Structures are given as structure tokens and as C-alpha cells.
Amino acid sequence: MRVSRVSRAIGAAVGVCVSVVSALGPSLDAAANLSTANAANSSTTPRTVASTPSGLPLYEFTRTGTANLPWVASSLVKLTRGATMSAGPRTVERQGVDIVAFATSTHDVSFLSTGTVPTTYLDLTTLLALPAAADAPVPFYDSLGRLNLVYTASNSHVVLVTNTPLSATPVLSHAVGFVHREWIVHDLSALSVSSSRPAGFLAAGQLDATVSANNELIALRTPAGELVCFRVSAQRPVTLVSATLVASSVSSTPSFVGALSDHVANVAAVSSSGHLVVYRNLTGELWTATDVTSQLKTPTLTRYVAGAKTSSVIYLAGVSQATGAVWLSTATLAKGALTWTSVNVTAATANNAAPGPALAGQLAVTLTGTYVSIGGRAADWGNLFEYANNGLKSTWIASDVSAAGGINARTVGAQVAAVDPGGKVNFFAGAVSSPATPGVGIYDVPSNDMSHVISDGWPIIGVTGGLGTSGSPWVQTTATASIPYSPDFQTGSVIQKSAKRTTWLSFWTVSGPSATETVSPATYQAHAFTAGAAVAKQIDQYANFGLNLKPDWVILDPEGYPDLHSQMDGIDVASIKGKAGVVTVTTVSSTPLTTGTKINLIYTGVGSLNISNVPITVTSPHSFTFTGSFVGTLNQTGKVTNQSLMRAWWAATITGWRNGITSVDPSLNPGIYTEMSQYSTMNIANQPMPVFMAIAWGGGGPVAISHSSNVLGFIEFGNRCISGQVQKQLQMFQSPPWNALYNTVQFNPPGYCTPHTP
């Protein structure tokens, strides 16, 4: 079993005697000279890092294999001499040594070599006066076993750095007295394939590299969105064998999965239309393309894809643009041809006791025998999750690595990397914050009890930050001078003063369309966006008043004007008039209904008017008719519903809330609060946003409904603070389907109980 990094001896910096063979083109000379001047007084001593680094600290999450603590999180900041990451990490493993490469917060190219003692950290920019990195460097071993790092420089050039040690001495050997003889640096963008054929390709974002037929292949995406592959010779200094335009339009960082037993290199990318496309280098500069998305009819993907392979199987994982679900596409080589299949990995955990969430960002895929591991960051959340399968069984297992990572566990940044030495996965990622504390907490704490709610033992506090308003921004926010007196701020202050990690759920009621607006997806999205931006601006002012915490989730509650349900449960009726077999319905707001649309009319109080799936004739933006037997007049009663329209309202609200919040503060995590019936009928199970579902105790507990992995918590109301009943109410959350991660109870006023009340 590999031990935690923090328990290893931290060796002194390895002595470095460097003879740099420069192959830098003229375009890099100025940058190299500038770096040399800046580093003139530092020699090889550690770079000074600001006391508050702008990047993310590097963390490792190691699988232990033990039941009570399956993962251990360790900070590697001491090993990186305080350096933090602006991009990365990227990893490679060879003979038990892990190379973890990243761009520092000052855009230096650096890497950590772990797996043996002592661990080694090198800042190659300081050492070699390299050009600044625009993105994370990619480590790989070439056909001769030498360590290489390739990266995109700030001027978009492709820079390759190769370690060439003394002969007969292993790369990065930790033998006593060993020194590195030389590093060789090349500007590949300045090289030519021949005197008449310059390369000239520039890069945007991260690269990828692999070894094929004793040459190195380096794939890049150009600033114009083209996919280009460099073939580089094994000897150093290098020659550029070829520079091939493989595809004219891709949106993603390319991902090499290497060659199978047929010795054909494979690189995957996401096209500009979101399709997963695999390119195979059959020979020389000949590449073929397979549109896997079109072939398998799978969803379009976000701009990241990650892969791994055996000698005969390719595994490629990506994230659905629409839902955040993880899709794994698998290709099996037989008789010279690849046969593709796919699986919705997230959906394959839906029936588990702990379903997996939507993911976002750059995933990591590793293989050990038949064990497949996919790691990534939970969307709108931040916890590191692993999806795992042993033998490609129909059911996958989702594990919250951050929650199970021990005292040092953290939420993570957008990029996750992994190695799998000896069958125990190690994830590497930038750490953001301590993960939220799971359990059963309390919502709507009486003000007199706030001072002791955390010391009483409640691990989660839910609070209403603001109620809905009848005008923009459609949610009640607090004037700057009054922010310290707002309930949301005061909740955060109690948590901060306790110095105890407590989950903070911040609920904000947002109103729906008013009488002067159209009940349409555009209106709902605009309201939610405006409200989300206003709430994020308020939260971002908390630090000005000494509160250095933010809520774990900022949750939209659709219980606002005009009907205490933000008109999300149907269009409000102004009047109903029936005469001569024709019923005329007038709505409070204008609607996008069209003639022929089938609607339901509910809550009228008249049995003959409670119709279902009846076609209408639209007579104005505020009125329509249908055939019916009702005679008379009703005012201000009833709702008009249409499931497809209402689903569009919900989707638009969720999109607007997320975009409004993140337009101001991308670090905030948006969520949505729904009733059970809304969740079941409005397609919210397929929305890529954390859901906090309202449930009612009612005496015997709520009636169970099926739900997907986006439900992070149940927000129960109607609880009774009566001795002899409290524990029964809390224990309900210990078993499926109610054992979500972040639940709360709300005691009927004026009740307050501790979590230890019988």
C-alpha cells in the first residue's frame, strides 16, 4: 500500500548541474532572456511564493482500500515548496514513479516526481529560463525512456523540454550523488519539416502526447480550432518529421489513447458540434476519422474528453452537454477493425444507495485489468467523485472521494488527473475548499437559538436569504449598510465564529412572471438570471463586513409572486365564463399558447371545468376558448397547465439561475428547490443542477418517489419538536431513499430541538 505523501520524508532539493542544449527559435529568445534576467539572483534556490497564492494548491487523493476510510487526501504544497497551480495537473506513471506536472500561479513549468524517497520538485522555468506557460505542461516518456514535458507557451508556441541523463543511469534516479546532465529545449512551432515546408502551427490550450513507432506524436488545437499533429524524431536535438492538419474544426483539448496491438495511434477530440471523434494514424500523415457520437447516437459532449486503453480496447469518457452525465464509449479491436459501444455511467448508478452526480471539467480515466475508474469534479458542487466498475458490469459504483478523504479532504478545481500504480487509484487535483459536511441539519432556526445551534451538534444550517418580490430583481436583497443584519449573513457569521466546518444552505425565493409579462421560457430565464446576479452580488459583499465564508449552495426557491409558486405550477386564471357550449378562459398574464394546443384546467372548484388534454382556440394573448358544458362565471380561480410548456419554464429557470450567479461569482454553487410532484413531472431529474427536494413529515413520513443522482438533499418541513419523536424523524434519513447527503428538518414554530433530543 502506498503511504500518504505527508508521511514521506521530504528530501532536500536534488542538486542540478545543467547543460542546456538550446533549440529555441528566434521568437522565443526574448522570452528566454527575460526569464534569465529575472532568475539571475535566484540560481536554483526555491522561487519565493506570495503569502496568498493566486493558484490552487496541489492535492493527492489516495485509495487506501480500507472500509472505514477508503480515501486519504494529502496536501502536496510543502513538496512543491509552496507553489500553487494556475493550470493542471497532468500526470504520467512509469516504474512506480509518478510525474505530476502543472503550470504554477506565476506560469512557470514545474513538476513533482513522487513514488520513491525523496520526492523531487523542479521548477523548470527557473532552471532553464523557459517561456511562460499558457496552460498545463504534459509529461510523457519517449521511446528511449526519457522524461519529456510539452506545453503551450504564452506566445502560443509549442515548447518541448527533454531530460537527457547520464548514460546507463535511469531517468530521475535518486541514487546518491546523481545529477542531471542536461535538459534540451525545443520550440516546435519554429521548426520546419523541410526547407520548403515550415511548420508554423500555433497552439491554444493544453496539448497531448504519445509514442508511436519510435517517434513522439504531439497533438494540439490551433487558435483557429484545427486539430494538428506533430511527429517528432526520437533523437535530440529533435527533427520535425511531419506536421499534419488532421481536422479543420475541434472544440476540445485532444486526448491521445495510444496505440493498440495494431500499432495504430489514436487521438480523440470533441468536434465543434459536440461530437466525439476518434482519429487513427494508419500510416505516415494518413489519418482516418470516426464520428462516435453519430455512430452510437449518444449525446453531444462538453469540450473535454479523457481516455485509456489496453492492447485491444479503447475507453473514452466525456460529459453530456445537456445533463452533465458521464458517458463512456468503448472500442474493441478485432480483425483490424474497431467495434464501438457506449454506456451512460451516471444513469448506471441511479438505483444504487448512493447515485452519482453530474460532472464537469476535465475527467481522468485509469485502468487496472478489468477495473475502470473515472474521476471528475461534481458539477455546481466541487466534490471529487469516482465512478468505478470492475469488469464492465451493468452497475457502476459512485464514490464521493472528497467526502471520504479524511480530515484533509477538499473540493477540487476543474481538472483532475490520475495514476493507477498497483491497482490503487491516486487522483491529483487543485484543492478549493473543505467539502461540505453531510448529515441531517436544521432549517429556519429561531433567532434566539442561532448562537448555540452549532455547539448543539447540527452539521447543516438552512436559511432563507430573501423572499420573492413583485418587481426586479424578483428577489429581496439587502441594502449594503444593512447586510450585517440580514439572516443569510448572520448564519454565515455564526458558522465562522464557531470555527467548525458546517454546511450552509442559502435559499432565495424568486418570483415568476407578473401580470404585465408573458408567461414564457424567456421571461422565467430573465427573472432567474437577474435574481441570481443580485444574490451573488450581495454574497460577494459579505467579506467587506468581516465574513470570509460563502454558502455551500445558493438555492432558488420558486415560491414567489404572483401565486406563492412563481406561476411555475401553471398559468393563473383571471376569469372563466361559460355560455352556449363555449367556455372562455382569461389568464392574468399573456401566454404563448397557440390554437390547437392541448391544456389542462385545474383547481377551479367545479368538476366539469377540471378538464384534461383538451384542445383550445386562442382568441387573444390573454384568452382562449374550448367546448364545454359549464354555464356561469368564475373569477380568480384555477390554473392552466401544459406539461411540455411547464418543463420548458423549469429548464429556463434553472439555466437563468446558474448563469446569473456565475456571471458575478463562478465560485458559488447554484441549486434548485422543488416539491416532490414538481420533481416527478417537470423532468428535473435530467437537469444538471443540484436539487434540494421539499418533503413533508406529516406524522408517518413522506411517501417515497424515485429520483436521480442530482438530489443532494431533502428539506423536510412539518417536523415536531416533541420528546420521543425527534429521533424517529431524524432516523428516517439513514435509509434509502431518504439518505441523501445534505438534509434538513424544520420544526413547527416556535419549536427548536437539538439533534440529541429523544
Side-chain angles (χ1 to χ4, degrees):
M1 182 181 72
R2 305 181 73 202
V3 297
S4 169
R5 299 283 186 258
V6 294
S7 65
R8 294 179 179 172
I10 302 175
V14 175
V16 180
C17 176
V18 181
S19 170
V20 179
V21 179
S22 178
L24 292 174
S27 58
L28 293 186
D29 286 345
N33 291 335
L34 178 62
S35 296
T36 301
N38 291 341
N41 297 322
S42 63
S43 184
T44 58
T45 58
R47 176 182 295 273
T48 300
V49 178
S51 59
T52 305
S54 59
L56 297 179
L58 178 63
Y59 266 64
E60 180 185 27
F61 299 81
T62 305
R63 182 192 290 279
T64 65
T66 60
N68 60 336
L69 189 64
W71 295 89
V72 170
S74 305
S75 171
L76 304 184
V77 174
K78 287 185 178 180
L79 301 182
T80 63
R81 305 177 195 170
T84 56
M85 300 188 299
S86 64
R90 295 292 298 267
T91 56
V92 68
E93 187 270 337
R94 180 183 174 91
Q95 298 176 350
V97 176
D98 302 340
I99 302 296
V100 186
F102 57 93
T104 71
S105 60
T106 55
H107 305 286
D108 288 6
V109 174
S110 64
F111 71 92
L112 192 67
S113 169
T114 71
T116 58
V117 177
T119 294
T120 304
Y121 173 72
L122 283 179
D123 182 329
L124 292 178
T125 298
T126 299
L127 187 68
L128 305 176
L130 295 177
D135 215 313
V138 177
F140 69 97
Y141 287 95
D142 61 27
S143 57
L144 299 180
R146 298 170 300 198
L147 175 66
N148 295 258
L149 291 94
V150 64
Y151 72 98
T152 302
S154 57
N155 64 352
S156 299
H157 281 228
V158 179
V159 179
L160 175 67
V161 186
T162 304
N163 177 248
T164 304
L166 295 170
S167 59
T169 305
V171 174
L172 295 178
S173 167
H174 296 292
V176 175
F178 172 74
V179 295
H180 298 297
R181 185 181 62 178
E182 61 184 22
W183 289 85
I184 304 178
V185 184
H186 294 86
D187 178 359
L188 299 185
S189 295
L191 295 182
S192 299
V193 178
S194 66
S195 59
S196 61
R197 189 180 173 194
F201 286 113
L202 302 179
Q206 291 184 30
L207 316 169
D208 207 3
T210 191
V211 176
S212 177
N214 295 325
N215 292 151
E216 285 84 61
L217 294 178
I218 297 170
L220 61 97
R221 178 179 178 269
T222 71
E226 303 155 315
L227 176 61
V228 171
C229 187
F230 288 167
R231 184 181 293 274
V232 177
S233 65
Q235 74 268 20
R236 298 292 188 271
V238 302
T239 58
L240 188 60
V241 178
S242 63
T244 308
L245 177 62
V246 178
S248 59
S249 181
V250 296
S251 65
S252 73
T253 296
S255 177
F256 269 116
V257 287
L260 305 182
S261 58
D262 60 358
H263 306 295
V264 175
N266 302 276
V267 63
V270 178
S271 72
S272 56
S273 59
H275 286 211
L276 172 61
V277 182
V278 175
Y279 303 90
R280 308 197 76 212
N281 185 206
L282 298 181
T283 180
E285 296 187 61
L286 176 61
W287 292 78
T288 62
T290 299
D291 188 327
V292 178
T293 298
S294 294
Q295 186 178 123
L296 300 180
K297 304 295 189 296
T298 50
T300 54
L301 303 178
T302 61
R303 56 185 298 265
Y304 298 105
V305 62
K309 58 100 180 176
T310 66
S311 61
S312 60
V313 183
I314 294 172
Y315 300 87
L316 291 169
V319 174
S320 165
Q321 288 181 359
T323 66
V326 176
W327 281 81
L328 180 68
S329 297
T330 305
T332 303
L333 178 67
K335 298 181 180 180
L338 292 177
T339 301
W340 288 91
T341 59
S342 65
V343 60
N344 183 335
V345 173
T346 303
T349 69
N351 295 324
N352 297 358
L359 299 186
Q362 178 68 62
L363 307 181
V365 180
T366 60
L367 303 172
T368 299
T370 59
Y371 186 89
V372 183
S373 170
I374 303 171
R377 179 187 187 274
D380 298 318
W381 185 0
N383 280 24
L384 173 60
F385 265 79
E386 182 197 36
Y387 284 99
N389 191 301
N390 193 359
L392 285 184
K393 300 173 183 176
S394 59
T395 300
W396 287 67
I397 303 299
S399 302
D400 188 336
V401 178
S402 291
I407 192 170
N408 293 315
R410 297 291 186 272
T411 59
V412 297
Q415 182 150 356
V416 175
V419 295
D420 191 1
K424 291 187 177 180
V425 178
N426 296 320
F427 290 115
F428 297 90
V432 177
S433 63
S434 299
T437 304
V440 182
I442 186 168
Y443 178 83
D444 193 21
V445 180
S447 58
N448 291 338
D449 296 296
M450 278 298 295
S451 62
H452 55 85
V453 64
I454 295 177
S455 60
D456 284 345
W458 290 109
I460 301 169
I461 302 177
V463 59
T464 298
L467 298 176
T469 60
S470 56
S472 185
W474 312 108
V475 64
Q476 180 185 23
T477 53
T478 304
T480 299
S482 300
I483 282 177
Y485 309 103
S486 66
D488 195 53
F489 181 94
Q490 291 182 343
T491 298
S493 296
V494 167
I495 295 173
Q496 180 169 277
K497 290 176 182 177
S498 75
K500 182 177 181 180
R501 183 62 170 101
T502 304
T503 300
W504 177 5
L505 304 181
S506 178
F507 293 83
W508 299 80
T509 305
V510 178
S511 295
S514 66
T516 60
E517 296 178 298
T518 300
V519 182
S520 68
T523 304
Y524 283 103
Q525 184 164 334
H527 278 221
F529 182 95
T530 302
V535 168
K537 289 176 182 177
Q538 175 172 321
I539 291 172
D540 279 2
Q541 293 184 72
Y542 291 172
N544 297 335
F545 297 94
L547 176 56
N548 296 314
L549 299 177
K550 296 179 183 180
D552 290 288
W553 282 275
V554 184
I555 304 161
L556 184 149
D557 177 1
E559 294 182 297
Y561 288 103
D563 57 358
L564 302 183
H565 285 87
S566 305
Q567 222 170 165
M568 300 282 279
D569 285 344
I571 304 166
D572 291 334
V573 172
S575 67
I576 303 173
K577 297 180 180 180
K579 182 180 180 181
V582 176
V583 178
T584 300
V585 177
T586 302
T587 57
V588 174
S589 304
S590 62
T591 76
L593 296 173
T594 58
T595 296
T597 300
K598 294 181 178 180
I599 59 95
N600 308 311
L601 194 58
I602 60 176
Y603 306 144
T604 65
V606 178
S608 62
L609 283 177
N610 290 333
I611 59 172
S612 177
N613 205 33
V614 171
I616 62 172
T617 299
V618 174
T619 55
S620 79
H622 281 268
S623 63
F624 61 84
T625 64
F626 62 88
T627 302
S629 60
F630 173 73
V631 176
T633 299
L634 295 176
N635 292 312
Q636 305 297 324
T637 183
K639 279 184 174 290
V640 178
T641 67
N642 175 283
Q643 189 175 77
S644 62
L645 286 177
M646 293 164 67
R647 286 183 171 185
W649 302 343
W650 278 92
T653 298
I654 288 170
T655 298
W657 184 245
R658 176 192 293 110
N659 293 347
I661 287 175
T662 57
S663 71
V664 174
D665 187 347
S667 72
L668 294 174
N669 298 320
I672 186 78
Y673 175 80
T674 75
E675 297 176 359
M676 297 171 71
S677 60
Q678 293 166 339
Y679 185 88
S680 299
T681 59
M682 294 297 110
N683 199 37
I684 298 172
N686 293 320
Q687 292 294 334
M689 181 178 280
V691 173
F692 296 84
M693 188 186 298
I695 58 175
W697 173 252
V703 177
I705 66 167
S706 61
H707 60 84
S708 74
S709 57
N710 64 348
V711 176
L712 293 193
F714 292 102
I715 311 303
E716 188 172 60
F717 60 92
N719 297 95
R720 300 172 181 175
C721 189
I722 300 174
S723 181
Q725 295 191 23
V726 173
Q727 290 306 309
K728 180 181 179 181
Q729 296 169 75
L730 299 182
Q731 288 168 5
M732 184 193 80
F733 295 100
Q734 303 303 314
S735 303
W738 309 114
N739 59 333
L741 289 171
Y742 310 104
N743 310 295
T744 62
V745 293
Q746 180 182 12
F747 295 107
N748 288 336
Y752 173 81
C753 281
T754 75
H756 311 294
T757 303

